[in-house]
Amino acid sequence: MARPREAKLSREIIGRAAIEYVEAGNDLQLVPLAKKLGVRVSSLYHHVRGREGVIQAMRHVLVAEYVPDQPMQEDGDWADRVRREVETTWRLYTDHPRSLALMLTVVIDEPDVMRVYSTLVDALVEAGVPDDEILTTVEVIDAFTFGAALDALSPDQILEPEEADGKLGELLPGHLVGRARNRAMFDHGLDLLIEGIRSRVDRASG
Amino acid sequence: MARPREAKLSREIIGRAAIEYVEAGNDLQLVPLAKKLGVRVSSLYHHVRGREGVIQAMRHVLVAEYVPDQPMQEDGDWADRVRREVETTWRLYTDHPRSLALMLTVVIDEPDVMRVYSTLVDALVEAGVPDDEILTTVEVIDAFTFGAALDALSPDQILEPEEADGKLGELLPGHLVGRARNRAMFDHGLDLLIEGIRSRVDRASG
DNA sequence: ACCTGAACACCGTTCAAGT
DNA sequence: ACCTGAACACCGTTCAAGT
């Protein structure tokens, strides 16, 4: 039974299993992962380049699942389109925060961000952002989305209400917590960025 | 020579050595770290709780070095104060991007962000941000700074200019790269956020 | 209190052997 | 082509022993 008639593994199977395993709260370790797959560790190496390859497989699976190949529908104004596009990335991230943290440690080999960037560029052109600010603005949106998603990883009580004084101490007790806090923060940040872009364009054009 | 007259190690010494070691491009491994310190691995455990403790010591050292205990000078308008405060955090992050990525993996035990948050809260009060938006706005600024700093970790050519078409393909060749790109992105993002905050407050107050 | 050295369980990776 | 099993170098952690 050294070689089964049908392969028990594939890059996709390994990637998906790793995502499940990691999001369940486990560290990514190949021995237990292989066990979960009903296979020995060494088998993984026929499909994936070691531990790093597993992480890339995870990314591959998530992108295939979340990021559509075709451009999205183009209705609505530029701000709507930005929101819709970023929402996709946001979902990918926040549905798999622990996988996201892992992906941070490996070099990305697939330039799949291309379509996402392209959509954002087109939306910003429509918004009237000057050429020499467009890519930088796209990067800003990207960085914020990323940072906001990672924020979901940090434990809730970074700030102990008891130790805070002044206005901060006054505001902390009534503040949102958990996923709701994280989501509200993301929405508000996107609002501020869009508002900032709009205001900047308005001022420049008169 | 089992116990030297003066201790060869301390939490600070270990933390500082680990930062140097990691920022030099190495993975954080205790055996080589101990060697660098002229000591056996097991000695580290007298000062720090294992590998995770080393990472916390790294954070401790960096915060002590970068984040002042006392509030910063209060001159300038609220936007200036926000910029000044965030610049400190930004420096801490971007001067040590690889340490930053490591810190992401451990739970922070010290609530040292308190003072930073407090300063930002006060600045936003002055800006006229309504109470129920203040903390969320602070979190937005924090998340963006964090995401922007991590952006420095990703390799420069995520997007191959050759494969891009349309406006994106037109803009890519002339775009900044490396640290300059990262810094320009951070500055622009902060501009947009501040502009967004200002515009939002103006609209609400009439 | 602090450093050592040996011991432990476990990890990722390689590779010849089997179908 | 794909799974196995053994072997390898190495890792983090623990702990009794030494000063």
Side-chain angles (χ1 to χ4, degrees):
Chain A
M1 217 265 209
R3 173 150 107 94
R5 278 208 146 268
E6 284 194 40
K8 305 164 90 173
L9 297 179
S10 73
R11 203 160 114 90
E12 278 69 32
I13 292 175
I14 292 172
R16 211 167 284 276
I19 293 164
E20 265 183 48
Y21 189 69
V22 164
E23 294 303 333
N26 305 108
D27 287 343
L28 180 61
Q29 289 176 351
L30 302 196
V31 184
L33 179 66
K35 191 168 194 173
K36 178 181 151 92
L37 284 162
V39 127
R40 308 285 161 178
V41 213
S42 47
S43 309
L44 300 175
Y45 287 78
H46 288 277
H47 300 270
V48 130
R49 286 197 182 189
R51 202 185 112 100
E52 197 154 317
V54 173
I55 298 176
Q56 275 160 354
M58 294 169 73
R59 204 193 127 81
H60 184 77
V61 166
L62 287 179
V63 169
E65 192 176 326
Y66 280 80
V67 183
D69 291 343
Q70 297 301 321
M72 317 185 76
Q73 33 181 348
E74 297 196 9
D75 52 318
D77 69 350
W78 67 270
D80 288 335
R81 299 225 304 285
V82 166
R83 283 179 208 281
R84 227 181 295 138
E85 188 64 41
V86 173
E87 180 75 21
T88 300
T89 313
W90 172 256
R91 282 244 181 77
L92 190 159
Y93 288 166
T94 49
D95 288 352
H96 314 278
R98 295 178 52 91
S99 302
L100 175 61
L102 267 180
M103 288 169 206
L104 212 80
T105 65
V106 303
V107 176
I108 298 159
D109 55 347
E110 304 170 87
D112 44 53
V113 253
M114 204 65 102
R115 219 232 57 257
V116 178
Y117 265 46
S118 212
T119 306
L120 291 176
V121 165
D122 291 345
L124 293 179
V125 169
E126 188 189 311
V129 175
D131 277 14
D132 63 341
E133 287 184 10
I134 289 182
L135 271 184
T136 304
T137 306
V138 169
E139 288 165 359
V140 165
I141 295 171
D142 202 35
F144 169 68
T145 307
F146 195 64
L150 285 174
D151 169 80
L153 273 178
S154 60
D156 231 336
Q157 282 309 52
I158 349 150
L159 304 171
E160 303 267 346
E162 311 139 23
E163 293 187 34
D165 49 0
K167 190 75 178 179
L168 177 57
E170 177 189 321
L171 293 174
L172 265 183
H175 195 51
L176 289 171
V177 291
R179 285 184 75 91
R181 181 193 65 80
N182 181 244
R183 177 74 216 203
M185 187 268 277
F186 173 64
D187 285 337
H188 190 64
L190 206 52
D191 282 348
L192 288 178
L193 287 176
I194 287 173
E195 182 72 31
I197 294 167
R198 203 190 308 272
S199 160
R200 196 169 227 267
V201 168
D202 284 353
R203 193 178 324 168
S205 68
Chain B
M1 211 278 202
R3 171 150 109 94
R5 278 209 148 266
E6 283 195 42
K8 304 164 91 172
L9 297 179
S10 74
R11 202 159 114 91
E12 278 69 33
I13 292 175
I14 292 171
R16 210 166 285 277
I19 293 166
E20 265 184 47
Y21 189 70
V22 164
E23 294 304 332
N26 305 107
D27 287 343
L28 180 62
Q29 289 175 352
L30 302 196
V31 183
L33 179 66
K35 190 167 194 174
K36 180 180 150 90
L37 285 162
V39 127
R40 307 286 160 176
V41 213
S42 46
S43 309
L44 300 175
Y45 287 78
H46 289 277
H47 301 270
V48 131
R49 286 197 182 189
R51 203 186 110 101
E52 197 155 315
V54 173
I55 298 177
Q56 275 160 355
M58 293 168 73
R59 204 193 127 79
H60 183 76
V61 167
L62 287 179
V63 168
E65 191 176 327
Y66 281 80
V67 183
D69 291 344
Q70 297 301 321
M72 315 184 76
Q73 34 181 348
E74 297 197 11
D75 52 320
D77 70 350
W78 66 269
D80 287 335
R81 299 224 303 284
V82 167
R83 283 178 207 282
R84 227 181 295 140
E85 187 65 41
V86 173
E87 180 75 21
T88 300
T89 314
W90 172 256
R91 281 244 180 76
L92 190 160
Y93 288 165
T94 49
D95 288 352
H96 314 277
R98 295 178 53 90
S99 302
L100 174 62
L102 266 181
M103 289 170 207
L104 212 80
T105 65
V106 303
V107 176
I108 299 159
D109 56 346
E110 303 168 88
D112 43 55
V113 253
M114 204 64 103
R115 218 232 57 255
V116 178
Y117 265 46
S118 212
T119 306
L120 290 176
V121 164
D122 292 345
L124 293 179
V125 169
E126 188 189 311
V129 175
D131 277 13
D132 62 341
E133 288 183 10
I134 289 182
L135 270 184
T136 304
T137 305
V138 169
E139 288 165 0
V140 165
I141 294 171
D142 201 36
F144 169 67
T145 307
F146 195 63
L150 285 174
D151 169 80
L153 273 178
S154 60
D156 232 335
Q157 282 309 52
I158 349 148
L159 303 170
E160 303 267 346
E162 310 139 23
E163 293 187 34
D165 49 359
K167 190 77 178 179
L168 177 58
E170 178 188 319
L171 292 175
L172 265 182
H175 195 52
L176 289 171
V177 292
R179 285 185 75 91
R181 182 193 64 78
N182 180 245
R183 177 75 217 202
M185 186 269 278
F186 172 65
D187 285 336
H188 191 63
L190 208 50
D191 282 349
L192 289 179
L193 287 177
I194 288 174
E195 182 71 31
I197 293 167
R198 203 189 307 272
S199 160
R200 198 168 225 267
V201 169
D202 285 352
R203 194 179 322 169
S205 67

